[in-house]
Amino acid sequence: MNSNKFVKTVLVGTGTLLILAGGMTAVIDPFFHYHKPLKQLEYPLERGKERYLNNGIIQNFDYDAAITGTSMMQNFKTSQFDDLFGTHSVKVTLTGDTYWAIDEEIRTIFDNKSDIKYIFRCLDYNKIFDDKSDYNYNNVPTYLYDNNIWNDVQYLFNKDIFIDNTLGVIKYTLHGEKTPSMDEYSSWAADYPVGTDYVLQTYSVPTKIEKQKKFSEDDAKTVRHNVEANVLDMVKAHPETTFYFYTPPYSAVWWYKLKCSGNLERYFEAEKLQAELLMEYDNVKLFSFTDLFELTCDLDNYKDDTHYSESISENIINWIYDDKGLMTPQNYESRIQKMLNYYLDYDYSRSGIPLAQEN
């Protein structure tokens, strides 16, 4: 065989293999870029792959409500939400991401669905001071997030995706596994135990206690821009949809660290401003559970300083359905002031938290 014929044979063979691999990825579609799951196959829906899976779920699954937010919502069960609210929901969460990133998912939901009854979303305290366009992660697979067929080559002809995910679906199916339910998708409850000892493993005693800083005009501007761009735009654009928002009940460890850094007052003033912006709209229901002090001060409810147990997640859905913790124009100021006073004055050693030396 001469060299030209050999080169042609190699090129044809390589091209054939690429077409075969790309075709298999398009048909099996492990990230649902083109279609919903095939009935003949079982898909692993691996935790940690949400940035690859969520967009396909949003575009190609059937649903009329969405649970969307950060890891604060990953142990929530769509089945519980559906039973209470009469919906067929999906759960599309992004670990540790910003208001902007969550809003991008919500925009995609409305781009693909015209009959969304409810959006259920957390508003994380630790993201409220982010810039309105902050994004937390590099190397996000944006080629899965658009309708540009030309950049699909990064999906169809991606060796890692073919081996780990396309063939992974086949292996998963042959091993007799079943596609996780939306209840199970992204949930970390089975992998991370909760309890005081686990919370304190990641806790470092603050070196000093700072004087409380004031909520500045620049702070207010940042919060306003973040909330208006990444929360209110979709609220205003979709009056037919009810938006359920809540601020997650972080543990006393988080509040103690915030107190020691001098930022406790700033964060509660930010929550107050956010509440004022949101409560102007009839299709918004805003909740806070930070004043459930028996919950937040019992570290056995947490795996770290912010993430609460699966049972607390279940309670939150029930509380929201029952309107427990609802913020109203009549109660929001007094409730937030009560939270501030409590976390300023609380003896954190009662929760087993090692304290900083007094200055």
Side-chain angles (χ1 to χ4, degrees):
M1 181 182 294
N2 62 42
S3 60
N4 286 341
K5 189 173 182 180
F6 175 76
V7 170
K8 289 179 181 178
T9 301
V10 170
L11 290 175
V12 170
T14 302
T16 301
L17 289 173
L18 283 172
I19 291 170
L20 178 61
M24 286 181 65
T25 295
V27 171
I28 293 173
D29 200 9
F31 299 141
F32 317 124
H33 189 50
Y34 303 113
H35 56 74
K36 65 181 66 174
L38 298 177
K39 293 181 180 179
Q40 308 94 309
L41 295 173
E42 305 293 337
Y43 293 75
L45 302 187
E46 295 174 70
R47 189 170 60 81
K49 291 285 182 66
E50 291 84 9
R51 284 174 177 77
Y52 289 84
L53 289 160
N54 281 1
N55 195 266
I57 291 170
I58 289 170
Q59 294 202 49
N60 293 309
F61 280 39
D62 298 320
Y63 58 95
D64 59 10
I67 295 173
T68 177
T70 64
S71 52
M72 296 296 118
M73 305 187 78
Q74 287 178 338
N75 293 334
F76 284 29
K77 292 182 169 62
T78 57
S79 61
Q80 179 193 4
F81 188 86
D82 293 343
D83 286 345
L84 291 172
F85 289 88
T87 54
H88 180 57
S89 61
V90 291
K91 180 171 59 175
V92 281
T93 59
L94 293 172
T95 300
D97 228 320
T98 61
Y99 277 32
W100 181 88
I102 305 303
D103 181 63
E104 286 294 295
E105 286 204 328
I106 293 172
R107 289 172 187 271
T108 305
I109 288 169
F110 285 114
D111 285 344
N112 286 274
K113 300 292 180 182
S114 59
D115 58 347
I116 297 298
K117 296 178 181 177
Y118 304 113
I119 295 290
F120 182 26
R121 174 184 177 180
C122 62
L123 297 171
D124 291 69
Y125 285 103
N126 59 9
K127 304 299 179 186
I128 197 168
F129 283 112
D130 287 346
D131 183 80
K132 66 179 182 180
S133 57
D134 274 359
Y135 198 81
N136 265 359
Y137 292 84
N138 296 318
N139 301 317
V140 171
T142 53
Y143 54 86
L144 294 173
Y145 298 178
D146 58 35
N147 295 315
N148 179 359
I149 61 172
W150 301 110
N151 66 15
D152 284 1
V153 297
Q154 298 177 72
Y155 178 48
L156 298 175
F157 304 121
N158 185 311
K159 181 188 70 173
D160 293 333
I161 288 176
F162 178 72
I163 293 172
D164 297 337
N165 304 108
T166 302
L167 295 182
V169 169
I170 296 173
K171 293 176 186 176
Y172 191 77
T173 302
L174 291 176
H175 288 161
E177 303 287 351
K178 296 296 181 183
T179 301
S181 67
M182 274 289 128
D183 286 356
E184 299 164 313
Y185 175 51
S186 76
S187 175
W188 48 261
D191 298 318
Y192 292 95
V194 298
T196 300
D197 290 343
Y198 296 102
V199 176
L200 295 180
Q201 280 177 4
T202 57
Y203 168 72
S204 297
V205 179
T207 57
K208 57 182 177 180
I209 302 174
E210 301 278 358
K211 181 181 178 182
Q212 290 302 306
K213 304 176 182 72
K214 296 299 181 183
F215 185 66
S216 68
E217 290 185 10
D218 285 343
D219 286 339
K221 183 178 179 180
T222 298
V223 171
R224 186 178 295 276
H225 286 174
N226 195 11
V227 174
E228 288 177 344
N230 297 318
V231 185
L232 284 179
D233 268 6
M234 288 295 96
V235 168
K236 291 186 283 188
H238 295 281
E240 76 284 359
T241 300
T242 300
F243 291 77
Y244 285 89
F245 299 117
Y246 78 100
T247 50
Y250 291 174
S251 83
V253 170
W254 196 83
W255 295 111
Y256 180 62
K257 291 191 295 185
L258 205 64
K259 173 187 174 180
C260 291
S261 70
N263 287 302
L264 198 63
E265 185 174 323
R266 288 179 64 239
Y267 274 81
F268 281 122
E269 287 297 323
E271 182 179 8
K272 187 185 298 184
L273 175 57
Q274 178 172 258
E276 290 166 354
L277 293 169
L278 292 174
M279 287 189 299
E280 291 183 22
Y281 296 89
D282 293 337
N283 59 329
V284 166
K285 299 193 79 171
L286 175 65
F287 296 79
S288 181
F289 306 108
T290 300
D291 51 358
L292 296 181
F293 304 123
E294 289 187 7
L295 185 165
T296 61
C297 293
D298 183 354
L299 301 188
D300 285 338
N301 291 318
Y302 296 85
K303 81 174 183 73
D304 54 32
D305 61 349
T306 57
H307 292 87
Y308 36 81
S309 69
E310 186 176 40
S311 63
I312 299 301
S313 296
E314 181 179 346
N315 288 341
I316 287 172
I317 292 181
N318 287 328
W319 293 334
I320 285 176
Y321 180 73
D322 293 333
D323 276 351
K324 179 177 179 178
L326 181 67
M327 289 287 203
T328 69
Q330 293 74 35
N331 73 15
Y332 81 100
E333 288 186 288
S334 61
R335 286 185 64 195
I336 292 173
Q337 185 63 48
K338 181 180 178 182
M339 296 173 199
L340 172 61
N341 293 342
Y342 187 89
Y343 292 112
L344 277 174
D345 297 336
Y346 179 61
D347 177 5
Y348 289 88
S349 66
R350 292 173 54 193
S351 294
I353 301 171
L355 305 184
Q357 294 292 323
E358 294 291 336
N359 299 340

